[in-house]
Amino acid sequence: VGILVLTIVGTVIGTLLAIEAKAWMPFLSRHLMRATFAHFPDGLDEPLVARWSEEIEADLYRYRDRPLGGLIFALRLRLKGGRDLAAELALQAALGSGCKEAEAREAEPEPMLSKAIAKLELDFGASSAILYQILLRYLKETASSDAETRAVGLEELRASLAHSAVRKTLKRIGPPDIGDAKGLRLALILKALREEVEAWSDHG
Amino acid sequence: MSADTIRVLGAMLEDPLAWHYGLGLSDAAGIPSGTIYPMLARLEKADWLESRWEEAGPENEGRPRRRLYKLTGHGERAAMAELDQMVAVARRVKRSRERGIGKKRPA
C-alpha cells in the first residue's frame, strides 16, 4: 500500500511539476533573451540592438509549442550568440565617435572611405574593419608632431584595447593572407596593434 | 570572406528573389541563431542585401513580425562571384590532390 501511495503521489507531483515547468519555461526563455540584450554595455548602437532584439524575439516565437526547445535556444543565445553580439557591439562602441572623426579627417571623399571599410568588413569581418579604423585614427594622431596629442592618442588606443571583447578579437584574428595594398596595410596595422596589446598586457 | 558568410549567401542564392528571415537562414546555413544578425547587418551595409519588416497579414497574425532580407542585384552578382572563386579554388585543390594520389605524406 505504501509503495502504491508513493507511486501515485510521485506521479501526481511529477505531473504538476511538468505542468508548472511547461508554463514557466517560455517565461524563463523570454527573460533569458531580454537579459542577454540588457547585459550589453551602455552607449551601443541602440537602434541596431533594438532591431536584433525584435528579430530574436520573433525567432523565439517559433518554439511556442516546444518550451524546452525555446529554453535551450535562449540559453544558447545567452551563452554563445549573445557574447558574439556583445563583442560586435562592444567593438563598435570602443571605436565610438573616433570613427566618424577619422572619416571626417580622411582626405578621400567619405563615400569612398565608407565603401572601402564595408569591403574590409566583408573580407575580414567587422571586428577587423573596426580595428583598422581604430588604428587609422591612432596613426593619424601619432603622425602629428605634437607629443601631447600623441600621448592622448595612445591613451585612447589603450582604453579601446582594454575592452576584453577587443582583446579576444585580436587573439582570434589571424594575419590577412592577401597580397594587395589594403591587405598589407591591414596586416601591418594588426601587427602593430598586437605588439601594442602585448606591451600593454605586459605592462598591466 | 568567412565560411559562415559564404554559407548564408549560398542559402540565399538558392532562391535569390525570395525574402528570407534570420532563423530560416541560420537553419539553412547551419550557423547559430543570434550570430547571423551582425553578419546580415554587414552585408546590408555593403549593399549586398536589402531588408524590411514583414507586413501584417493573416499568415503572421498573433506572432512577432520578422525582419526579411533579400539579395540586391549587386549582392547576387558579388555573391556568385565569391562562390565561383571558392569553387575554382576547390577544383584546383581537388585536381592537385588527384595528381598526388599514391604519394604518401612524409612521416
Side-chain angles (χ1 to χ4, degrees):
Chain A
V1 174
I3 291 168
L4 186 68
V5 169
L6 274 177
T7 309
I8 292 168
V9 169
T11 309
V12 168
I13 290 172
T15 308
L16 285 173
L17 282 176
I19 293 168
E20 277 292 311
K22 204 175 171 186
W24 275 92
M25 272 191 274
F27 171 78
L28 195 59
S29 305
R30 279 197 301 277
H31 178 77
L32 266 172
M33 195 209 73
R34 283 170 192 156
T36 302
F37 283 91
H39 209 66
F40 289 171
D42 292 335
L44 299 177
D45 185 349
E46 282 178 19
L48 203 54
V49 174
R51 181 173 133 181
W52 287 345
S53 166
E54 202 172 336
E55 287 186 270
I56 289 171
E57 194 147 355
D59 291 350
L60 189 61
Y61 183 80
R62 196 171 79 162
Y63 296 95
R64 67 195 177 283
D65 298 328
R66 289 180 289 148
L68 187 60
L71 188 60
I72 292 167
F73 172 85
L75 267 173
R76 281 179 63 191
L77 177 74
R78 182 76 181 88
L79 296 174
K80 175 76 175 72
R83 206 164 46 208
D84 287 355
L85 288 174
E88 184 92 16
L89 289 165
L91 278 164
Q92 290 181 29
L95 180 67
S97 60
C99 169
K100 283 179 188 156
E101 283 172 29
E103 278 196 42
R105 275 183 272 155
E106 184 67 25
E108 57 184 327
E110 195 180 314
M112 278 180 69
L113 183 67
S114 297
K115 210 173 166 184
I117 289 170
K119 180 76 172 69
L120 269 175
E121 286 180 345
L122 282 176
D123 285 347
F124 305 113
S127 311
S128 307
I130 291 160
L131 290 171
Y132 171 85
Q133 292 171 65
I134 291 173
L135 258 287
L136 195 66
R137 184 184 175 203
Y138 169 63
L139 292 175
K140 280 177 185 171
E141 298 285 3
T142 51
S144 73
S145 54
D146 182 356
E148 197 179 335
T149 309
R150 278 204 301 277
V152 169
L154 188 60
E155 277 312 306
E156 282 181 4
L157 177 69
R158 281 180 176 155
S160 298
L161 297 177
H163 200 290
S164 63
V166 178
R167 295 171 70 187
K168 276 181 197 160
T169 304
L170 274 172
K171 282 182 187 163
R172 206 176 61 215
I173 299 169
D177 184 23
I178 58 167
D180 65 24
K182 261 183 200 159
L184 186 63
R185 182 170 166 74
L186 183 62
L188 289 171
I189 285 168
L190 288 177
K191 184 173 173 285
L193 190 50
R194 272 202 202 87
E195 283 167 5
E196 189 66 44
V197 169
E198 277 163 20
W200 182 81
S201 301
D202 292 344
H203 184 69
Chain B
M1 186 164 288
S2 73
D4 283 350
T5 310
I6 293 281
R7 280 201 285 270
V8 168
L9 289 172
M12 296 188 93
L13 279 169
E14 284 177 24
D15 193 353
L17 298 179
W19 289 93
H20 305 264
Y21 64 99
L23 190 59
L25 284 171
S26 299
D27 290 346
I31 60 170
S33 168
T35 57
I36 197 171
Y37 294 111
M39 185 198 299
L40 293 173
R42 278 200 295 277
L43 288 165
E44 190 180 354
K45 198 173 157 194
D47 289 332
W48 287 35
L49 301 182
E50 55 183 308
S51 76
R52 63 171 173 86
W53 289 110
E54 72 177 345
E55 285 156 19
E59 72 282 359
N60 56 23
E61 204 178 321
R63 67 163 166 78
R65 62 185 181 159
R66 289 168 175 159
R67 185 90 185 169
L68 302 173
Y69 297 86
K70 190 171 85 164
L71 282 166
T72 60
H74 163 69
E76 189 182 343
R77 284 190 297 277
M80 277 308 297
E82 288 287 340
L83 283 179
D84 286 345
Q85 213 174 359
M86 294 276 291
V87 169
V89 170
R91 280 194 185 133
R92 205 166 55 232
V93 171
K94 197 176 169 211
R95 271 200 305 273
S96 64
R97 285 181 71 88
E98 279 168 357
R99 277 199 301 271
I101 286 174
K103 287 182 190 172
K104 284 190 176 173
R105 186 193 291 266

